[in-house]
Amino acid sequence: MSVDNDTQSAPAAQPSSGFDNDNRQAASIGDSARDYLNRLRGGDMGSLPAILGLIFLFIVFTALHDRFLTTYNMANLVVQAGSICVMAMGIVFVLLLGEIDLSAGVAGGAAATIIALMMIDHDWPWWAATLAGIAVGALIGLAIGALVSYLGIPSFVVTLAFFLALQAVPLKLIGAGGSLRFNDEVLRGLSIKNVPVTAGWIAAVLIVAAFAAVSLWNYRTLSAKGLVHKPLGLVVIQIVVLGGIVLGVTALLSANRAPNPNLFNISGIPWVLPVVVALLLFWTFVLTRTRFGRHLYAVGGNAEAARRAGINVQRIRIAAFMICSSMAAISGLLLASYVGKVSPGSGGGNVLLYAVGAAVIGGTSLFGGRGRAIDAVIGGLVIATIPNGLGLLNQASYINFLVTGGVLLLAASVDAISRRRRSSAGV
């Protein structure tokens, strides 16, 4: 961000009053906009293509079908995107290292099978069964990470082997053609029940208030120390935009979306959304505010340089695969909650492909070193919007595959071009 010369020469003691000195200590909104445009020209696209693509899809589907933007369909879209977003968040950690995990989908299916069996055959409470499923996912990630890190086997080969082997777990435990009902009141309720409207509004207001407090506190702290920071106007705009999105979504989902509102009431935020938001906030904190997050980006950017700097590259790789498989277990749980059962085919098919596609479409680089947890959520919404909208239009299944494949190819092309432009710009 560009800073005027008089700002740089000002003594650090003068701006201690905080908000009064924002004009001297911060660049203008215009400077911030020019800085952002320069980063775009340099190839730092971030999630912008995915956001524009999501807006485009919403406009097209809204124009083609009057039921797309209804509260009922938006709630369905949130539930459909939940499992994709969660698995994609785990995939982001592996992609940040320039690795790949082809087994995440079936790892989620195996973990969901364990959860269902613990509840049905052993009468475990939902929370204990859930912890067992996540532990299974973590163990799978530990095995994959150890083979990749200590034996040097390419992650593509290791995870392909696990992809094949893990499909045997639900097949053996459930049997061909069988299924396990996923009807626990709490876990099934993640997809079919909603947060009470009042509680949803309280949570939304608290999220906006917390974001505003943290943003303004960071601004005041940097201003008081005479450090370069965002202009106050930009901070306020970010707070207003986030507040508009959070409160707008809450208002939309709090309306009665029952087919016959006079007979019964269906309102409130689906429980899956708070789960996704909580995981997003947690992993965003891990990636941006912890030593592990900094080391993860360093290893993804240049593993040899990170090793020479004293970072334990092997441990970082193992941790990334463990996080990925653990998130796959949670995703498998959400998917089982959505369909109401676990079967030998759970986690197979296009589950993994959609998750990887979501991460890449959202802006995470396939080449490592660049990506955020929010990329997975944005990309997951794009991936879920395509079949949702095409389903309303009664399009054939092959159209869905063609469109999704085209969007993924476009995102990968943007990633490759952006990387080339960053290299030429010396970034």
Side-chain angles (χ1 to χ4, degrees):
M1 183 182 299
S2 61
V3 182
D4 297 336
N5 293 329
D6 58 336
T7 302
Q8 293 177 332
S9 60
Q14 292 182 4
S16 59
S17 58
F19 291 109
D20 297 334
N21 297 284
D22 61 288
N23 290 330
R24 289 186 298 173
Q25 289 297 324
S28 66
I29 295 179
D31 290 335
S32 297
R34 284 190 290 273
D35 178 64
Y36 180 67
L37 290 175
N38 289 334
R39 285 189 283 117
L40 289 179
R41 295 190 188 100
D44 189 3
M45 302 290 288
S47 297
L48 181 61
I51 294 173
L52 295 178
L54 186 62
I55 294 173
F56 174 77
L57 289 173
F58 266 65
I59 292 174
V60 170
F61 288 138
T62 301
L64 295 177
H65 202 290
D66 56 0
R67 287 194 301 169
F68 176 75
L69 212 55
T70 60
T71 55
Y72 182 80
N73 189 58
M74 289 298 100
N76 283 339
L77 178 59
V78 168
V79 176
Q80 291 166 1
S83 61
I84 299 174
C85 293
V86 170
M87 185 175 294
M89 272 190 267
I91 293 291
V92 165
F93 282 82
V94 175
L95 292 180
L96 282 173
L97 298 178
E99 306 285 357
I100 190 64
D101 187 351
L102 301 178
S103 67
V106 292
T113 301
I114 298 299
I115 294 173
L117 284 174
M118 291 299 101
M119 292 189 298
I120 295 173
D121 291 351
H122 301 282
D123 295 323
W124 283 25
W126 68 268
W127 58 268
T130 300
L131 290 177
I134 296 174
V136 168
L139 287 175
I140 292 172
L142 175 63
I144 294 173
L147 291 171
V148 172
S149 300
Y150 291 111
L151 296 185
I153 306 174
S155 59
F156 180 91
V157 177
V158 175
T159 57
L160 178 59
F162 273 78
F163 168 78
L164 297 172
L166 288 174
Q167 294 181 70
V169 175
L171 185 60
K172 171 64 176 178
L173 296 178
I174 300 175
S179 65
L180 297 173
R181 294 184 62 188
F182 210 83
N183 56 359
D184 178 80
E185 183 178 355
V186 174
L187 299 184
R188 181 76 168 109
L190 292 173
S191 296
I192 64 175
K193 293 185 178 181
N194 306 305
V195 179
V197 173
T198 302
W201 276 110
I202 293 174
V205 171
L206 289 177
I207 289 174
V208 175
F211 178 77
V214 171
S215 299
L216 293 174
W217 175 261
N218 287 338
Y219 171 84
R220 183 182 180 89
T221 301
L222 294 175
S223 176
K225 294 179 179 179
L227 301 175
V228 176
H229 52 275
K230 298 175 183 177
L232 180 59
L234 180 59
V235 174
V236 172
I237 290 175
Q238 290 176 332
I239 294 172
V240 171
V241 171
L242 178 77
I245 294 174
V246 172
L247 298 179
V249 170
T250 303
L252 180 68
L253 297 178
S254 296
N256 186 3
R257 51 183 178 270
N260 192 336
N262 297 323
L263 294 180
F264 54 95
N265 184 290
I266 302 177
S267 59
I269 299 170
W271 274 107
V272 68
L273 182 56
V275 173
V276 174
V277 171
L279 291 171
L280 171 62
L281 294 176
F282 176 74
W283 291 122
T284 298
F285 175 81
V286 169
L287 287 174
T288 60
R289 300 291 182 179
T290 66
R291 178 183 296 180
F292 170 76
R294 293 190 295 271
H295 288 180
L296 187 71
Y297 282 110
V299 173
N302 190 321
E304 179 59 24
R307 185 190 64 79
R308 294 184 179 182
I311 297 175
N312 192 320
V313 176
Q314 293 175 327
R315 289 183 182 177
I316 294 295
R317 283 204 176 99
I318 292 174
F321 279 103
M322 290 182 67
I323 291 172
C324 180
S325 295
S326 299
M327 290 293 284
I330 300 175
S331 174
L333 184 155
L334 294 178
L335 184 59
S337 172
Y338 176 61
V339 300
K341 65 178 182 179
V342 179
S343 65
S346 295
N350 296 316
V351 172
L352 170 72
L353 302 181
Y354 283 161
V356 175
V360 176
I361 289 170
T364 300
S365 177
L366 287 167
F367 304 99
R370 287 181 178 269
R372 304 169 300 167
I374 188 65
D375 296 344
V377 176
I378 297 173
L381 286 173
V382 173
I383 290 290
T385 299
I386 295 172
N388 180 281
L390 292 176
L392 290 175
L393 298 175
N394 293 319
Q395 294 296 315
S397 298
Y398 75 88
I399 299 295
N400 176 28
F401 291 127
L402 288 175
V403 174
T404 305
V407 171
L408 177 57
L409 183 60
L410 179 61
S413 301
V414 170
D415 179 32
I417 294 172
S418 298
R419 181 171 180 266
R420 187 174 302 173
R421 293 180 66 176
R422 289 194 301 267
S423 299
S424 62
V427 179

